[in-house]
Amino acid sequence: MSIDNQSEINQQKPEQQELDVSPGTLYLVATPIGNLADITLRAVSVLGQVDIIAAEDTRHSQRLLSHLGIKTRTLAYHEHNEERMTPRLLDDLESGKSIALISDAGTPLISDPGYRLVMRGHDKGIRMVPVPGVCAAIAALSAAGLATDSFTFEGFPPARQGSRLQFFEPLAEQKRTMIFYVSCHRIIDTLKDMQTTFGTDRRVTFARELTKTFETIKRMTLSEVIPWVETDENQRKGEIVVIVEGAGDDTTDRTQVDDYLSILMAELPVKQSVSLVVKLTGENKNDVYKRALELKNA
Ligand code: SAM
């Protein structure tokens, strides 16, 4: 950056500009998904200054607002009154009011209401300002131990099994890491349908109750995760993100593992060969062991 540019930016007093709210603007404000400390300074400032906070559930959000000492007027905006409330909020914005949209948790619009308001707001030329923060999908992905260079967010799989299998089917060959929100009531059925579609060896990261007391993050294959969730009823409680690794280039991985195993097993015992191949390739230990036995008995 040139010295000229730098002095221009300094003159703008960014810390002041970042914390002020502007009239006629819709702020999309992320809120915590469990730990109340996970809110940005800017979010607190915006929520305290806007004319109205449109909240998915005003009573639920009141707990956060009271915790933050914020007394801004709240208004309910949820999937059941979205159609009716959207024109009203757009009128308020056009008349110069500033509004913050929040959901019960995380980033609004991400499997939460708001799409209609933002879409129509754009049509009317209303300024949209995201105030970024927590999103369960991204929090889970960052800790998943699966590829992050390319991923898709798939939202909630359908509740009914037939529709769910149809929903997963086109994703079977998807090479990108896939992020799903899963209701705890359907976690076992959903994991079983994932296994039917993606196969027993596909790795998943099970991320439950993120940022809360019973936060659990485990990476396993689908054949490992199902019995684990079945035998531990705590894993069927709370809020869950399931991240599924993309379809690998099986032939390359398999060939590489086979090559290493053949060379090593010619000189070393199976157990030691498997341990070295796991270190060399980062592949799942059980998978490599199974393959070693197959090769040995072939
Ligand atoms: N807008 C939110 C966001 O930014 O993540 C998501 C709202 S969606 C209605 C709720 C789903 O998000 C839950 O069913 C769960 O899949 C996921 N979720 C929310 N909070 C979570 C948490 N603390 N731990 C794990 N998953 C969570």
Side-chain angles (χ1 to χ4, degrees):
M1 186 188 289
S2 74
I3 291 173
D4 280 358
N5 279 347
Q6 246 173 13
S7 57
E8 213 172 88
I9 288 170
N10 288 342
Q11 280 164 19
Q12 291 174 350
K13 292 199 184 131
E15 58 299 334
Q16 188 58 41
Q17 297 220 340
E18 281 159 14
L19 295 178
D20 278 350
V21 303
S22 305
T25 302
L26 179 63
Y27 293 88
L28 294 316
V29 182
T31 57
I33 58 169
N35 187 327
L36 292 186
D38 289 336
I39 184 147
T40 67
L41 295 174
R42 187 168 167 229
V44 176
S45 168
V46 167
L47 292 174
Q49 288 183 71
V50 286
D51 297 306
I52 301 167
I53 296 174
E56 193 183 358
D57 176 341
T58 50
R59 271 207 312 197
H60 175 96
S61 294
Q62 204 50 57
R63 283 197 290 276
L64 172 72
L65 298 175
S66 305
H67 171 79
L68 298 170
I70 289 170
K71 297 200 165 56
T72 307
R73 179 160 78 97
T74 58
L75 220 151
Y77 185 76
H78 44 70
E79 58 174 330
H80 304 295
N81 73 357
E82 219 180 342
E83 190 62 58
R84 180 165 55 80
M85 288 301 290
T86 298
R88 179 175 161 188
L89 292 177
L90 291 173
D91 283 351
D92 283 343
L93 287 161
E94 283 189 306
S95 73
K97 290 211 164 73
S98 55
I99 300 181
L101 178 70
I102 60 174
S103 59
D104 285 353
T107 302
L109 280 86
I110 307 302
S111 292
D112 271 333
Y115 171 64
R116 208 177 253 137
L117 181 63
V118 173
M119 181 184 61
R120 296 202 190 143
H122 271 284
D123 295 342
K124 289 185 176 286
I126 286 162
R127 187 170 164 229
M128 303 291 160
V129 175
V131 182
V134 186
C135 173
I138 299 300
L141 179 67
S142 68
L146 296 172
T148 52
D149 53 343
S150 179
F151 60 87
T152 65
F153 173 65
E154 304 293 344
F156 284 96
R160 285 185 35 244
Q161 190 187 30
S163 320
R164 196 161 56 227
L165 285 167
Q166 271 176 16
F167 172 84
F168 287 146
E169 226 250 341
L171 302 176
E173 298 306 318
Q174 165 72 267
K175 294 217 183 300
R176 300 183 174 104
T177 301
M178 293 166 276
I179 308 173
F180 298 89
Y181 284 166
V182 182
S183 155
C184 61
H185 306 295
R186 290 189 277 278
I187 185 65
I188 291 181
D189 290 345
T190 302
L191 289 170
K192 285 184 175 167
D193 290 344
M194 283 178 168
Q195 179 171 250
T196 304
T197 316
F198 303 129
T200 50
D201 293 342
R202 191 75 75 93
R203 288 187 302 180
V204 299
T205 298
F206 179 92
R208 188 178 73 89
E209 294 288 90
L210 293 171
T211 79
K212 303 186 203 174
T213 313
F214 297 108
E215 180 177 87
T216 307
I217 303 171
K218 290 244 186 225
R219 193 188 65 182
M220 296 183 237
T221 63
L222 277 164
S223 63
E224 289 164 342
V225 77
I226 293 168
W228 176 67
V229 175
E230 273 177 331
T231 50
D232 182 354
E233 68 168 308
N234 287 327
Q235 306 310 332
R236 307 196 292 273
K237 292 178 185 159
E239 303 198 272
I240 304 167
V241 180
V242 175
I243 307 201
V244 180
E245 80 176 335
D249 190 347
D250 279 350
T251 47
T252 320
D253 287 347
R254 178 58 69 102
T255 310
Q256 193 187 44
V257 168
D258 284 7
D259 284 352
Y260 285 150
L261 282 173
S262 308
I263 295 166
L264 291 168
M265 286 199 304
E267 309 287 336
L268 299 167
V270 171
K271 212 170 148 195
Q272 207 176 341
S273 305
V274 168
S275 159
L276 287 169
V277 173
V278 168
K279 278 189 191 143
L280 285 166
T281 61
E283 290 294 321
N284 178 281
K285 190 175 171 187
N286 291 339
D287 294 346
V288 177
Y289 190 69
K290 214 159 69 182
R291 186 63 188 149
L293 295 182
E294 280 168 13
L295 291 176
K296 193 166 181 255
N297 299 327

